[in-house]
Amino acid sequence: MPSQRIRPASLVVRGGTVLTFDTLGTIARAFAVTDGRIVAVGDDVSAHLGPGTRVLELAGRTVLPGINDTHLHAAWLGARWPHTLLGEAGFSDHVEKPVTTAADRGAALVLAGELCASLGITSYTEPGLGPGETGCFAPEVLDEYAAMAGAGKLKARVTVLRLFGLLDGPSSLADFARGLAAPVPESDPAWLAVRGVKIFADGIPPMRSAWTGHCYADGTHGHLLVDGDGDEDRARNITAMIGLAHEAGMSVGVHATGDRSIETVLGALRRGDHVVHGDLVTPDQLTRMAARGVGLTTQPAIAAAMRELMVAELGAGVAAKAWPLRAMLDSGVPLTLSSDAPVVTPDWRVHVAAAARLLGAEGPDPALMTRLLRCYTTAAAAQDGTASWKGSLSVGKAADFCVLAANPLEIAPAELPGVAVETTVTAGQIVHSG
Ligand SMILES: [Zn+2]
């Protein structure tokens, strides 16, 4: 019997370190890609070479699964870049480009897409587009995404959370129910998935708008942002919103920074949902979130930038316990790291380095670096509901990856921001080559 001929791959990547982040943590030397999927991983995949196979020679460089930023406002990023909201000297007063026309929206998304590609980002979650909002957060941005996805113009895969109130502002149960019933544009979910909703439970501690059991400098405690007649009614309404979203088959991302907000939504959230930010989350809440499978996405660079403001508002004792990154990692909570760009840079290398600094890691620490990078890859895919087909580099998974000039496991975390992202590939197609 003649042996079965292997169909030649469209792309072979070889000659370097391939951090697959599969369940065993396999480190390989090469892999082969056909039709946008990985068809072989190993030290030698030359059996998959054919006359038409494109070969990407790593020459000792390192491949990482594509970065998945689970909280990145791409349209807003495109309107602001190269300026971020939080600069070196606190909140910047830079005025962003207006985003009002279809052309503005398209330009902002194209710019953000190029920026993401240059950073190795192959997936992200756009957290909050909806009818109550305008500009970078308007529902028309979702229409633009659908048009780009349909035309094959997206360089990264996009998950959208719809928003039925104001960004960083109030929402009502009636608007929420109405919004949830509104149709969403048709799209290929591999590129544009609208599978969740965003709810703002509260604001942020520096604005005294996080709902907390602690006391701000002016004696207040913040409150839930959702409409209601007092704390109990608001709590009932946000719980009802979460229930409605679940009934509609949607996952839920709740912006919650205060311990009281987190406590309120914790019992209503379920596996597949996540808390966004979690500044004042307690170790006990993390334990209960882990037990329920409720995820958390947090932003180390924002934590680093906001700590002094937290001291001013809530005192050094509370600030010292805020953003408990070690407990977040060790609790078993499905944890992702994200940028919240353009609040700060979308550069994941900066955030991973910031996380390592918060954890006191100085020299190379492969185990810790692996955990932090998994927060941007495998855990991120678990959060956006795609872990069955992306997030790691194993046979059958999407060929979404980036090539780095150095192996992040072998360097001090502080050096990571200086490691070049040389190539980015989404679905087997090169979307950035530096
Ligand atoms: Zn955000």
Side-chain angles (χ1 to χ4, degrees):
M1 288 271 288
S3 65
Q4 192 98 47
R5 292 266 329 251
I6 295 176
R7 184 179 157 207
S10 50
L11 173 69
V12 158
V13 182
R14 66 183 182 187
T17 303
V18 180
L19 302 176
T20 67
F21 291 167
D22 66 6
T23 43
L24 298 174
T26 305
I27 296 178
R29 301 278 304 160
F31 59 99
V33 174
T34 295
D35 296 333
R37 297 269 177 162
I38 294 170
V39 293
V41 181
D43 288 337
D44 180 2
V45 297
S46 50
H48 293 264
L49 286 169
T53 304
R54 180 172 192 164
V55 178
L56 176 55
E57 300 283 3
L58 292 173
R61 295 173 299 172
T62 296
V63 172
L64 206 63
I67 298 297
N68 182 346
D69 190 327
T70 55
H71 195 94
L72 180 149
H73 302 272
W76 190 21
L77 175 64
R80 281 196 80 92
W81 193 253
H83 303 281
T84 54
L85 195 63
L86 270 179
E88 293 282 304
F91 288 98
S92 90
D93 54 5
H94 174 80
V95 179
E96 61 213 36
K97 285 194 259 339
V99 172
T100 46
T101 66
D104 297 341
R105 291 186 283 275
L109 293 183
V110 165
L111 177 58
E114 282 167 0
L115 181 58
C116 285
S118 75
L119 292 169
I121 296 169
T122 59
S123 294
Y124 63 81
T125 293
E126 171 84 64
L129 301 176
E133 270 295 348
T134 56
C136 304
F137 314 102
E140 288 79 9
V141 175
L142 178 54
D143 298 332
E144 184 63 33
Y145 270 124
M148 288 176 72
K153 287 185 177 164
L154 290 177
K155 295 187 172 197
R157 305 175 194 275
V158 181
T159 299
V160 171
L161 304 183
R162 284 187 298 159
L163 174 70
F164 306 125
L166 291 178
L167 198 89
D168 293 311
S171 55
S172 78
L173 186 54
D175 286 345
F176 190 89
R178 200 166 23 248
L180 207 50
V184 293
E186 290 277 315
S187 58
D188 174 357
W191 285 97
L192 177 64
V194 185
R195 57 178 296 279
V197 298
K198 173 86 176 282
I199 301 172
F200 279 85
D202 63 2
I204 55 172
M207 310 298 281
R208 300 176 184 169
S209 53
W211 190 30
T212 173
H214 304 294
C215 200
Y216 292 111
D218 63 357
T220 60
H221 306 268
H223 56 76
L224 286 175
L225 283 174
V226 298
D227 288 355
D229 197 5
D231 288 340
E232 272 183 38
D233 195 37
R234 294 189 189 107
R236 253 194 310 277
N237 286 339
I238 195 168
T239 302
M241 287 177 185
I242 294 168
L244 285 176
H246 288 164
E247 278 172 32
M250 293 273 137
S251 67
V252 181
V254 180
H255 170 119
T257 61
D259 42 292
R260 291 191 75 182
S261 295
I262 295 164
E263 191 64 37
T264 300
V265 298
L266 184 46
L269 296 179
R270 66 185 187 188
R271 190 169 300 277
D273 296 334
H274 67 281
V275 169
V276 181
H277 306 304
D279 305 19
L280 295 172
V281 70
T282 68
D284 171 63
Q285 288 171 340
L286 287 168
T287 303
R288 284 180 283 140
M289 286 169 69
R292 296 181 71 86
V294 172
L296 171 65
T297 189
T298 197
Q299 299 80 26
I302 294 182
M306 296 280 224
R307 185 96 49 189
E308 282 308 308
L309 294 170
M310 185 81 97
V311 171
E313 280 306 327
L314 289 167
V318 173
K321 289 182 181 161
W323 297 285
L325 193 55
R326 172 60 65 189
M328 290 172 180
L329 273 172
D330 292 348
S331 62
V333 162
L335 178 69
T336 68
L337 302 179
S338 54
S339 67
D340 205 2
V343 175
V344 290
T345 174
D347 189 341
W348 58 278
R349 297 167 298 182
V350 170
H351 295 267
V352 169
R357 200 160 51 242
L358 288 175
L359 294 164
E362 285 172 6
D365 185 338
L368 179 71
M369 182 60 82
T370 299
R371 290 183 74 181
L372 296 176
L373 293 174
R374 278 182 177 275
C375 290
Y376 258 115
T377 53
T378 50
Q383 184 187 298
D384 70 22
T386 60
S388 65
W389 61 274
K390 67 179 170 75
S392 60
L393 300 175
S394 46
V395 171
K397 296 251 171 114
D400 296 358
F401 60 92
C402 56
V403 179
L404 304 183
N407 184 343
L409 308 192
E410 292 176 351
I411 59 171
E415 293 171 24
L416 184 62
V419 174
V421 177
E422 300 197 335
T423 306
T424 305
V425 173
T426 309
Q429 302 295 319
I430 295 175
V431 293
H432 160 75
S433 183

